[in-house]
Amino acid sequence: MNIGEAAKLTGLSDKTLRYYESIGLVSAKRSSNGYRLYTDKQIDELHFLASARQTGFTLDECKALLALLRDTNRHSRDVKAFVTDKLMKLDSQIAALSKMKQSLEQLSSRCNDNDDSQCAIIEGLSSNTLCSKEENNE
Amino acid sequence: MNIGEAAKLTGLSDKTLRYYESIGLVSAKRSSNGYRLYTDKQIDELHFLASARQTGFTLDECKALLALLRDTNRHSRDVKAFVTDKLMKLDSQIAALSKMKQSLEQLSSRCNDNDDSQCAIIEGLSSNTLCSKEENNE
DNA sequence: ATAAAGCTTATAGCTACTGGAAGGTCAAGC
DNA sequence: GCTTGACCTTCCAGTAGCTATAAGCTTTAT
């Protein structure tokens, strides 16, 4: 099938499919007029990629996962190890964002929220307490 | 002071300071030899930017915050509104990551973690259950 | 005098695409 | 035969927030 239909089936855009080909993920054969021709197996692979991307894997990680998908001699142990590693990365991302959130909430709670120019948020960001040291418990 | 000292004081790299100038955040005057000269006030602003970046604000958001910092006629209300908005964005980012984590954990728990090629993770990513519909509660 | 450190600009690369321009191909309608 | 529109092609630029590299100038120390 042509790229348009492949895009519809997989939920990826045609641009994305061309991009994936350009980085060597899924390369379609061409018909005589130069149009890309996707096989059913490639559609499956693209589905797989879409799922993996949605689940938070980077394209580099997707490349590795795709290699595992294609390797019928893979061991589920290796796949699991890969995912366990990714889970740790996700955890640290979540922790970083949570820390930011906490800092912001703390600053925000001290802001008077009125017409005054004086503002605890501005002051908090201006002081170096955020970057240089732990917050002192109040 | 020159860019090197400014970098040391603020914890930002000299590259970063030049970049910030190139996008119009903090522009230093030049001495006769063409070297950048940072004032104490600019060091304060750079500290502020470093804090804001650490707290998760994008550079675009930092630009807006810097405008508030510089505006002595600001209202703390406006700063608070800005931060409240950012907190919501942080929340949705955290929610997205948590969802990914949950999906991955679910897949991972079903993997046999052995020598077999059969793997619930690969199968889960291949099926379209992740993208097309809600997970059915088990 | 020379070498090292510090500064300058300009360019390219990273992630994962997206948008747009300029143009070839195909199927339908008149 | 011709046009119109949909679909396809390639290539270039832009997004965010820097970092790395290169080529070259200035200052400082030896």
Side-chain angles (χ1 to χ4, degrees):
Chain A
M1 70 195 67
N2 285 344
I3 197 169
E5 199 182 349
K8 248 177 235 155
L9 279 179
T10 60
L12 300 167
S13 74
D14 53 345
K15 298 269 186 189
T16 298
L17 296 192
R18 289 194 198 96
Y19 177 66
Y20 283 1
E21 179 172 302
S22 79
I23 61 172
L25 273 182
V26 175
S27 302
K29 269 182 291 189
R30 305 305 183 98
S31 67
S32 56
N33 60 11
Y35 287 16
R36 285 171 182 78
L37 286 178
Y38 288 90
T39 64
D40 286 352
K41 194 184 170 201
Q42 286 180 318
I43 298 301
D44 286 344
E45 291 185 348
L46 290 170
H47 265 308
F48 178 83
L49 288 175
S51 297
R53 289 288 298 130
Q54 246 188 52
T55 317
F57 290 102
T58 66
L59 281 187
D60 255 8
E61 289 164 343
C62 286
K63 213 165 202 163
L65 281 173
L66 193 56
L68 284 168
L69 172 71
R70 287 169 173 164
D71 178 12
T72 52
N73 293 123
R74 68 175 169 262
H75 301 315
S76 70
R77 196 198 317 290
D78 298 331
V79 185
K80 175 128 184 177
F82 194 86
V83 165
T84 301
D85 184 62
K86 182 62 183 181
L87 276 171
M88 286 183 356
K89 289 180 196 159
L90 277 176
D91 275 336
S92 62
Q93 279 186 272
I94 291 170
L97 288 178
S98 299
K99 200 169 174 183
M100 291 173 189
K101 182 184 169 186
Q102 204 189 339
S103 300
L104 261 194
E105 276 171 345
Q106 214 171 96
L107 285 180
S108 185
S109 70
R110 291 202 281 265
C111 170
N112 290 328
D113 196 14
N114 60 16
D115 281 341
D116 295 350
S117 68
Q118 186 271 335
C119 171
I121 296 166
I122 294 286
E123 287 165 4
L125 291 173
S126 293
S127 77
N128 45 12
T129 50
L130 272 179
C131 26
S132 57
K133 18 183 78 178
E134 304 295 303
E135 291 113 21
N136 44 4
N137 29 11
E138 31 199 271
Chain B
M1 70 195 70
N2 285 344
I3 198 170
E5 200 182 348
K8 248 177 234 154
L9 279 179
T10 60
L12 300 167
S13 73
D14 53 343
K15 303 265 187 191
T16 299
L17 297 192
R18 289 194 198 95
Y19 176 66
Y20 283 2
E21 179 172 303
S22 80
I23 60 171
L25 273 183
V26 175
S27 302
K29 269 182 291 189
R30 306 304 183 97
S31 68
S32 56
N33 59 12
Y35 286 15
R36 285 171 182 77
L37 286 178
Y38 287 90
T39 65
D40 287 352
K41 194 183 170 202
Q42 287 180 317
I43 298 300
D44 287 344
E45 291 185 347
L46 289 170
H47 266 307
F48 178 84
L49 288 175
S51 296
R53 288 289 295 132
Q54 247 187 50
T55 317
F57 290 101
T58 66
L59 281 185
D60 256 6
E61 289 165 342
C62 285
K63 213 165 202 164
L65 281 172
L66 193 56
L68 285 169
L69 172 71
R70 286 168 175 165
D71 177 10
T72 52
N73 292 123
R74 68 176 168 261
H75 302 314
S76 70
R77 195 196 320 287
D78 298 331
V79 184
K80 177 131 185 175
F82 194 86
V83 165
T84 300
D85 184 62
K86 181 64 183 181
L87 276 171
M88 286 183 357
K89 290 181 197 156
L90 277 176
D91 275 337
S92 61
Q93 279 185 271
I94 291 170
L97 288 177
S98 299
K99 199 168 173 184
M100 291 173 188
K101 184 185 167 186
Q102 203 189 338
S103 300
L104 262 194
E105 276 171 343
Q106 215 170 97
L107 285 181
S108 184
S109 70
R110 291 201 280 265
C111 171
N112 289 328
D113 196 13
N114 60 16
D115 279 340
D116 295 350
S117 69
Q118 186 272 334
C119 172
I121 296 166
I122 295 285
E123 286 166 4
L125 291 173
S126 292
S127 76
N128 46 12
T129 51
L130 272 178
C131 25
S132 57
K133 19 183 79 179
E134 304 294 303
E135 292 113 20
N136 44 3
N137 29 8
E138 34 197 271

Short mmCIF file of all heavy atoms in Angstrom, two decimals, chain A residues 31-69:
data_model
loop_
_atom_site.label_atom_id
_atom_site.label_comp_id
_atom_site.label_asym_id
_atom_site.label_seq_id
_atom_site.Cartn_x
_atom_site.Cartn_y
_atom_site.Cartn_z
N SER A 31 7.51 1.47 -5.82
CA SER A 31 6.91 0.98 -7.05
C SER A 31 7.57 1.72 -8.22
O SER A 31 8.39 2.62 -8.02
CB SER A 31 5.40 1.21 -7.04
OG SER A 31 5.13 2.58 -7.08
N SER A 32 7.20 1.39 -9.43
CA SER A 32 7.90 1.93 -10.60
C SER A 32 7.82 3.46 -10.67
O SER A 32 8.69 4.11 -11.21
CB SER A 32 7.30 1.32 -11.87
OG SER A 32 5.90 1.58 -11.89
N ASN A 33 6.76 4.02 -10.13
CA ASN A 33 6.63 5.48 -10.18
C ASN A 33 7.34 6.19 -9.03
O ASN A 33 7.28 7.40 -8.89
CB ASN A 33 5.15 5.88 -10.20
CG ASN A 33 4.41 5.36 -8.97
OD1 ASN A 33 5.03 4.90 -8.02
ND2 ASN A 33 3.10 5.44 -9.01
N GLY A 34 8.02 5.41 -8.17
CA GLY A 34 8.77 6.03 -7.09
C GLY A 34 8.00 6.10 -5.79
O GLY A 34 8.54 6.52 -4.76
N TYR A 35 6.75 5.73 -5.81
CA TYR A 35 5.94 5.77 -4.59
C TYR A 35 6.38 4.68 -3.63
O TYR A 35 6.77 3.58 -4.06
CB TYR A 35 4.45 5.55 -4.94
CG TYR A 35 3.78 6.72 -5.61
CD1 TYR A 35 4.51 7.75 -6.17
CD2 TYR A 35 2.40 6.78 -5.69
CE1 TYR A 35 3.88 8.83 -6.80
CE2 TYR A 35 1.76 7.85 -6.31
CZ TYR A 35 2.51 8.86 -6.87
OH TYR A 35 1.90 9.91 -7.48
N ARG A 36 6.30 4.97 -2.33
CA ARG A 36 6.64 3.94 -1.34
C ARG A 36 5.54 2.88 -1.28
O ARG A 36 4.35 3.20 -1.37
CB ARG A 36 6.78 4.57 0.05
CG ARG A 36 8.07 5.35 0.25
CD ARG A 36 8.05 6.13 1.55
NE ARG A 36 9.27 6.90 1.70
CZ ARG A 36 9.52 8.05 1.09
NH1 ARG A 36 8.61 8.54 0.25
NH2 ARG A 36 10.65 8.70 1.30
N LEU A 37 5.96 1.64 -1.10
CA LEU A 37 5.01 0.53 -0.96
C LEU A 37 5.24 -0.16 0.38
O LEU A 37 6.31 -0.73 0.61
CB LEU A 37 5.20 -0.49 -2.10
CG LEU A 37 4.69 -0.07 -3.48
CD1 LEU A 37 5.00 -1.15 -4.50
CD2 LEU A 37 3.19 0.21 -3.41
N TYR A 38 4.26 -0.10 1.25
CA TYR A 38 4.40 -0.72 2.56
C TYR A 38 3.75 -2.11 2.57
O TYR A 38 2.66 -2.30 2.03
CB TYR A 38 3.76 0.15 3.64
CG TYR A 38 4.58 1.40 3.92
CD1 TYR A 38 4.36 2.58 3.22
CD2 TYR A 38 5.59 1.38 4.89
CE1 TYR A 38 5.11 3.72 3.47
CE2 TYR A 38 6.35 2.51 5.14
CZ TYR A 38 6.11 3.67 4.43
OH TYR A 38 6.87 4.79 4.68
N THR A 39 4.44 -3.05 3.17
CA THR A 39 3.88 -4.41 3.31
C THR A 39 3.10 -4.49 4.62
O THR A 39 3.22 -3.64 5.50
CB THR A 39 5.01 -5.45 3.37
OG1 THR A 39 5.77 -5.21 4.56
CG2 THR A 39 5.93 -5.33 2.17
N ASP A 40 2.34 -5.54 4.76
CA ASP A 40 1.56 -5.73 5.98
C ASP A 40 2.48 -5.86 7.19
O ASP A 40 2.18 -5.37 8.28
CB ASP A 40 0.69 -7.00 5.87
CG ASP A 40 -0.49 -6.77 4.92
OD1 ASP A 40 -0.68 -5.60 4.52
OD2 ASP A 40 -1.19 -7.74 4.59
N LYS A 41 3.60 -6.51 6.99
CA LYS A 41 4.53 -6.69 8.09
C LYS A 41 5.08 -5.33 8.55
O LYS A 41 5.25 -5.08 9.74
CB LYS A 41 5.69 -7.58 7.64
CG LYS A 41 6.52 -8.08 8.81
CD LYS A 41 7.73 -8.90 8.37
CE LYS A 41 8.63 -9.16 9.56
NZ LYS A 41 10.02 -9.48 9.16
N GLN A 42 5.30 -4.46 7.57
CA GLN A 42 5.80 -3.13 7.92
C GLN A 42 4.74 -2.32 8.65
O GLN A 42 5.05 -1.53 9.54
CB GLN A 42 6.27 -2.41 6.66
CG GLN A 42 7.60 -2.99 6.15
CD GLN A 42 8.10 -2.31 4.92
OE1 GLN A 42 7.31 -2.02 4.00
NE2 GLN A 42 9.40 -2.03 4.87
N ILE A 43 3.49 -2.54 8.27
CA ILE A 43 2.40 -1.88 8.99
C ILE A 43 2.41 -2.33 10.45
O ILE A 43 2.25 -1.53 11.37
CB ILE A 43 1.04 -2.21 8.33
CG1 ILE A 43 1.00 -1.69 6.89
CG2 ILE A 43 -0.09 -1.60 9.14
CD1 ILE A 43 1.20 -0.21 6.76
N ASP A 44 2.63 -3.62 10.65
CA ASP A 44 2.72 -4.14 12.02
C ASP A 44 3.86 -3.47 12.78
O ASP A 44 3.71 -3.07 13.94
CB ASP A 44 2.95 -5.66 12.00
CG ASP A 44 1.70 -6.42 11.59
OD1 ASP A 44 0.60 -5.82 11.64
OD2 ASP A 44 1.81 -7.61 11.22
N GLU A 45 4.99 -3.35 12.12
CA GLU A 45 6.14 -2.71 12.76
C GLU A 45 5.85 -1.26 13.10
O GLU A 45 6.25 -0.75 14.15
CB GLU A 45 7.37 -2.81 11.85
CG GLU A 45 7.89 -4.25 11.71
CD GLU A 45 9.18 -4.34 10.91
OE1 GLU A 45 9.55 -3.33 10.27
OE2 GLU A 45 9.82 -5.40 10.95
N LEU A 46 5.16 -0.59 12.22
CA LEU A 46 4.81 0.80 12.47
C LEU A 46 3.83 0.93 13.63
O LEU A 46 3.93 1.85 14.45
CB LEU A 46 4.25 1.44 11.20
CG LEU A 46 5.29 1.66 10.08
CD1 LEU A 46 4.61 2.06 8.78
CD2 LEU A 46 6.31 2.72 10.50
N HIS A 47 2.91 0.00 13.72
CA HIS A 47 2.00 -0.06 14.86
C HIS A 47 2.81 -0.21 16.15
O HIS A 47 2.57 0.47 17.15
CB HIS A 47 1.06 -1.26 14.73
CG HIS A 47 -0.26 -0.93 14.12
ND1 HIS A 47 -1.06 0.09 14.57
CD2 HIS A 47 -0.92 -1.48 13.08
CE1 HIS A 47 -2.16 0.14 13.83
NE2 HIS A 47 -2.09 -0.80 12.91
N PHE A 48 3.75 -1.12 16.09
CA PHE A 48 4.63 -1.37 17.23
C PHE A 48 5.36 -0.09 17.63
O PHE A 48 5.40 0.29 18.81
CB PHE A 48 5.63 -2.46 16.84
CG PHE A 48 6.64 -2.81 17.88
CD1 PHE A 48 6.34 -3.70 18.90
CD2 PHE A 48 7.92 -2.27 17.82
CE1 PHE A 48 7.29 -4.05 19.85
CE2 PHE A 48 8.88 -2.61 18.79
CZ PHE A 48 8.56 -3.50 19.79
N LEU A 49 5.89 0.60 16.63
CA LEU A 49 6.61 1.85 16.91
C LEU A 49 5.69 2.89 17.52
O LEU A 49 6.06 3.60 18.47
CB LEU A 49 7.23 2.39 15.62
CG LEU A 49 8.44 1.61 15.09
CD1 LEU A 49 8.88 2.17 13.75
CD2 LEU A 49 9.58 1.67 16.11
N ALA A 50 4.48 2.98 16.98
CA ALA A 50 3.53 3.96 17.51
C ALA A 50 3.24 3.67 18.99
O ALA A 50 3.22 4.59 19.82
CB ALA A 50 2.25 3.94 16.69
N SER A 51 3.04 2.40 19.30
CA SER A 51 2.80 2.03 20.70
C SER A 51 3.99 2.37 21.57
O SER A 51 3.85 2.94 22.66
CB SER A 51 2.54 0.52 20.81
OG SER A 51 1.39 0.16 20.11
N ALA A 52 5.17 2.03 21.08
CA ALA A 52 6.38 2.26 21.88
C ALA A 52 6.59 3.76 22.12
O ALA A 52 6.91 4.18 23.23
CB ALA A 52 7.59 1.66 21.17
N ARG A 53 6.37 4.56 21.10
CA ARG A 53 6.52 6.01 21.25
C ARG A 53 5.52 6.52 22.28
O ARG A 53 5.86 7.32 23.15
CB ARG A 53 6.28 6.71 19.91
CG ARG A 53 7.39 6.51 18.91
CD ARG A 53 8.66 7.28 19.29
NE ARG A 53 8.44 8.70 19.31
CZ ARG A 53 8.78 9.49 20.31
NH1 ARG A 53 9.34 9.00 21.39
NH2 ARG A 53 8.58 10.78 20.24
N GLN A 54 4.29 6.03 22.17
CA GLN A 54 3.25 6.46 23.11
C GLN A 54 3.58 6.09 24.54
O GLN A 54 3.17 6.76 25.48
CB GLN A 54 1.92 5.82 22.72
CG GLN A 54 0.88 6.80 22.25
CD GLN A 54 -0.45 6.13 22.06
OE1 GLN A 54 -0.97 5.44 22.94
NE2 GLN A 54 -1.02 6.35 20.91
N THR A 55 4.29 4.99 24.67
CA THR A 55 4.64 4.51 26.00
C THR A 55 5.88 5.23 26.53
O THR A 55 6.35 4.93 27.62
CB THR A 55 4.85 2.99 25.96
OG1 THR A 55 3.83 2.41 25.15
CG2 THR A 55 4.78 2.39 27.34
N GLY A 56 6.40 6.15 25.75
CA GLY A 56 7.46 7.00 26.28
C GLY A 56 8.86 6.66 25.82
O GLY A 56 9.82 7.31 26.23
N PHE A 57 9.00 5.67 24.96
CA PHE A 57 10.33 5.34 24.47
C PHE A 57 10.81 6.38 23.46
O PHE A 57 10.02 6.86 22.65
CB PHE A 57 10.33 3.94 23.82
CG PHE A 57 10.16 2.83 24.80
CD1 PHE A 57 8.94 2.20 24.96
CD2 PHE A 57 11.22 2.42 25.60
CE1 PHE A 57 8.77 1.17 25.88
CE2 PHE A 57 11.07 1.38 26.51
CZ PHE A 57 9.84 0.77 26.67
N THR A 58 12.09 6.71 23.53
CA THR A 58 12.67 7.60 22.53
C THR A 58 12.85 6.82 21.23
O THR A 58 12.76 5.60 21.21
CB THR A 58 14.04 8.10 22.97
OG1 THR A 58 14.95 6.99 23.03
CG2 THR A 58 13.98 8.75 24.34
N LEU A 59 13.15 7.51 20.16
CA LEU A 59 13.35 6.82 18.88
C LEU A 59 14.55 5.89 18.94
O LEU A 59 14.54 4.82 18.34
CB LEU A 59 13.49 7.82 17.74
CG LEU A 59 12.19 8.42 17.24
CD1 LEU A 59 12.43 9.27 16.01
CD2 LEU A 59 11.19 7.32 16.91
N ASP A 60 15.58 6.30 19.66
CA ASP A 60 16.73 5.41 19.83
C ASP A 60 16.31 4.13 20.54
O ASP A 60 16.69 3.03 20.14
CB ASP A 60 17.82 6.12 20.65
CG ASP A 60 18.96 6.57 19.77
OD1 ASP A 60 18.83 6.46 18.53
OD2 ASP A 60 19.99 7.01 20.30
N GLU A 61 15.52 4.29 21.56
CA GLU A 61 15.03 3.12 22.29
C GLU A 61 14.11 2.29 21.40
O GLU A 61 14.16 1.05 21.41
CB GLU A 61 14.30 3.57 23.55
CG GLU A 61 15.25 4.12 24.62
CD GLU A 61 14.53 4.92 25.70
OE1 GLU A 61 13.37 5.33 25.50
OE2 GLU A 61 15.15 5.17 26.75
N CYS A 62 13.32 2.98 20.59
CA CYS A 62 12.44 2.27 19.66
C CYS A 62 13.24 1.44 18.68
O CYS A 62 12.82 0.34 18.29
CB CYS A 62 11.56 3.26 18.91
SG CYS A 62 10.24 3.95 19.92
N LYS A 63 14.36 1.98 18.27
CA LYS A 63 15.23 1.25 17.34
C LYS A 63 15.66 -0.07 17.97
O LYS A 63 15.62 -1.12 17.33
CB LYS A 63 16.46 2.11 17.03
CG LYS A 63 17.01 1.95 15.64
CD LYS A 63 17.98 3.11 15.34
CE LYS A 63 18.16 3.30 13.85
NZ LYS A 63 18.75 4.63 13.54
N ALA A 64 16.06 0.01 19.22
CA ALA A 64 16.49 -1.19 19.93
C ALA A 64 15.33 -2.17 20.11
O ALA A 64 15.48 -3.38 19.94
CB ALA A 64 17.08 -0.80 21.28
N LEU A 65 14.16 -1.63 20.45
CA LEU A 65 12.99 -2.49 20.64
C LEU A 65 12.59 -3.17 19.34
O LEU A 65 12.23 -4.34 19.31
CB LEU A 65 11.81 -1.65 21.16
CG LEU A 65 11.84 -1.31 22.65
CD1 LEU A 65 10.72 -0.34 22.98
CD2 LEU A 65 11.69 -2.59 23.47
N LEU A 66 12.70 -2.41 18.25
CA LEU A 66 12.36 -2.96 16.94
C LEU A 66 13.30 -4.11 16.60
O LEU A 66 12.87 -5.14 16.04
CB LEU A 66 12.46 -1.86 15.89
CG LEU A 66 11.87 -2.12 14.51
CD1 LEU A 66 10.41 -2.51 14.60
CD2 LEU A 66 12.03 -0.88 13.63
N ALA A 67 14.56 -3.95 16.96
CA ALA A 67 15.53 -5.03 16.73
C ALA A 67 15.12 -6.27 17.51
O ALA A 67 15.21 -7.40 17.00
CB ALA A 67 16.92 -4.56 17.12
N LEU A 68 14.64 -6.08 18.72
CA LEU A 68 14.17 -7.21 19.52
C LEU A 68 12.93 -7.84 18.91
O LEU A 68 12.79 -9.06 18.85
CB LEU A 68 13.87 -6.74 20.95
CG LEU A 68 15.09 -6.48 21.85
CD1 LEU A 68 14.69 -5.77 23.12
CD2 LEU A 68 15.79 -7.80 22.17
N LEU A 69 12.03 -6.98 18.43
CA LEU A 69 10.82 -7.49 17.79
C LEU A 69 11.17 -8.37 16.60
O LEU A 69 10.60 -9.44 16.40
CB LEU A 69 9.95 -6.32 17.31
CG LEU A 69 8.72 -6.68 16.45
CD1 LEU A 69 7.66 -7.36 17.29
CD2 LEU A 69 8.14 -5.44 15.78
#
